[in-house]
């Protein structure tokens, strides 16, 4: 017994600093390295002037991914479809910067700063916010802060199902019920009360609920397949990695790569992208994020249902003191 206690003490002493170090790396390093990396930006206008402007942007290396458009109308459509974060339109009256603070207030500000460093013949640049962030959350702070509670809710749901020993259909039903109620409550809070999101109410509730379901089902599925340690693994994946890699407070293209790409493949990042699409862009570019969340939810629920088909230890092991079954023959 003393040897066992000593091993547990050493495990605690070593494990907690490791977890804290991982958390600091996951949260602090990406935040300290915010910079554009292949950030989609549009340029529209006559070829000579647009060509010169593109060359100036290309001097920044791989910071910007340039998309060319014939005119300002095409650039606006691309912004509304979430193809680009913003665009510079060269017109006879002078250059115009189109932004979308709803897509990312950080990127909108970055584009303003980037344009002021370009040589645009000394012209005053007119700035138009094509898809503006709502008045209730002009800096995107409330939306950015919403992802961590969703991740915690999903982990809590998966943990509760595991601790209460719910199995099979009951476990899946509990996860779906929790996700639906959390989605409705979160939409009521962020849309109806705070005004931080302004899209279709039920689409927003669905996006929020699907995010919680993807996380909760993954945690419960891991616990069903590999035991209680699956809860810790799921929490590590969703909270300590998925949340800081989500890019929801800035943009995935501003994170060090491949963290931005990885973050969009995890439920917190996909959930943030889906919520932006349905809240501000009428669902544009929502397909990949919805598919990602659906796959996580489906795989997690499959694991939960598959685990429910396995016999419980109580059903397979004889009760204490019960006689051993007689051998045939």
């Amino acid at each position: 017994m003393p040897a066992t206690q000593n091993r547990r003490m050493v495990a605690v002493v070593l494990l907690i600093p490791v977890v804290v170090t991982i958390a600091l790396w996951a949260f602090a390093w990406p935040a300290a390295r915010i910079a554009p990396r292949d950030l989609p930006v549009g340029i529209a206008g006559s070829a000579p002037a647009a060509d010169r402007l593109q060359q100036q942007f290309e001097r920044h290396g791989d910071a910007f991914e340039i998309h060319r458009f014939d005119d300002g109308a095409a650039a606006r459509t691309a912004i509304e479809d979430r193809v680009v974060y913003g665009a510079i339109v060269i017109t006879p009256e002078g250059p115009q910067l189109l932004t979308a603070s709803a897509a990312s207030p950080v990127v909108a500000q970055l584009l303003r700063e980037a344009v002021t460093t370009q040589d645009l013949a000394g012209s005053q640049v007119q700035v138009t916010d094509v898809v503006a962030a709502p008045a209730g959350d002009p800096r995107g702070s409330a939306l950015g802060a919403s992802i961590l509670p969703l991740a915690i809710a999903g982990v809590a749901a998966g943990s509760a199902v595991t601790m209460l020993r719910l199995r099979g259909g009951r476990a899946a039903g509990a996860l779906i019920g929790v996700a639906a109620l959390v989605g409705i409550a979160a939409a009521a809070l962020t849309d109806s009360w705070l005004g931080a999101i302004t899209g279709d109410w039920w689409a927003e509730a669905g996006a929020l609920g699907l995010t919680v379901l993807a996380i909760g089902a993954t945690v419960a599925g891991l616990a069903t397949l590999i035991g209680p340690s699956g809860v810790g693994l799921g929490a590590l994946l969703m909270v300590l990695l998925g949340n800081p890699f989500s890019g929801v407070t800035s943009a995935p293209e501003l994170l060090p790569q491949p963290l931005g790409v990885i973050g969009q493949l995890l439920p917190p990042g996909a959930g943030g992208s889906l919520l932006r699409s349905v809240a501000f862009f009428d669902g544009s570019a929502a397909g990949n994020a919805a598919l990602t969340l659906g796959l996580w939810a489906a795989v997690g629920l499959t694991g939960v249902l598959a685990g429910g088909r396995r016999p419980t230890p109580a059903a397979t092991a004889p009760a204490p003191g019960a006689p051993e079954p007689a051998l045939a023959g």
Side-chain angles (χ1 to χ4, degrees):
M1 183 64 68
T4 301
Q5 292 294 323
N6 289 337
R7 286 195 295 269
R8 291 176 178 175
M9 181 190 71
V10 172
V12 169
V13 170
L14 295 179
L15 181 61
I16 300 303
V18 169
V19 172
V20 171
T21 301
I22 293 173
L24 286 174
W25 167 79
F27 280 85
W29 178 54
R33 297 293 185 268
I34 292 293
R37 296 169 177 88
D38 291 321
L39 185 71
V41 176
I43 294 178
S46 58
D51 289 343
R52 289 194 298 270
L53 181 59
Q54 180 172 346
Q55 291 172 2
Q56 293 175 29
F57 271 93
E58 288 174 347
R59 293 173 186 168
H60 296 276
D62 296 332
F64 300 97
E65 177 185 285
I66 302 301
H67 295 246
R68 294 291 291 268
F69 303 102
D70 294 335
D71 52 33
R76 282 176 174 268
T77 300
I79 293 172
E80 293 168 350
D81 291 342
R82 302 200 72 185
V83 175
V84 296
Y85 281 92
I88 302 173
V89 182
I90 307 299
T91 69
E93 294 77 21
Q96 182 182 22
L97 173 63
L98 306 178
T99 64
S101 58
S104 171
V106 176
V107 171
Q109 180 60 35
L110 183 151
L111 291 178
R112 292 189 184 94
E113 296 172 356
V115 166
T116 60
T117 65
Q118 307 301 321
D119 180 12
L120 298 178
S123 303
Q124 182 68 32
V125 179
Q126 177 185 353
V127 179
T128 301
D129 200 345
V130 176
V131 186
D137 188 27
R139 297 180 178 83
S141 302
L143 188 146
S146 66
I147 299 302
L148 180 58
L150 295 180
I152 293 175
V155 172
S159 301
V161 165
T162 301
M163 293 176 61
L164 295 175
R165 298 183 180 180
L166 297 179
R167 295 168 56 84
R170 289 186 177 85
L175 292 168
I176 294 172
V178 167
L181 292 177
V182 169
I184 292 172
L189 178 66
T190 54
D191 186 318
S192 303
W193 182 40
L194 297 177
I197 52 180
T198 57
D200 180 83
W201 197 93
W202 285 108
E204 293 166 349
L208 293 162
L210 182 57
T211 302
V212 173
L213 178 60
I215 296 171
T218 299
V219 171
L222 286 172
T224 299
L225 297 176
I226 65 175
S229 60
V231 173
L233 178 60
L236 176 68
L237 185 64
M238 301 300 173
V239 177
L240 292 187
L241 298 182
N243 186 67
F245 293 177
S246 68
V248 69
T249 58
S250 55
E253 294 85 357
L254 298 185
L255 299 179
Q257 294 303 324
L259 300 189
V261 174
I262 294 173
Q264 294 305 296
L265 297 176
L266 295 174
S273 295
L274 179 60
L275 183 59
R276 280 194 190 278
S277 290
V278 300
F280 307 125
F281 295 90
D282 295 325
S284 296
N288 287 339
L291 177 61
T292 298
L293 292 173
L295 288 174
W296 279 97
V299 172
L301 291 175
T302 299
V304 170
L305 293 173
R309 294 177 177 273
R310 295 185 302 183
T312 61
T316 57
E324 295 292 334
L327 297 177

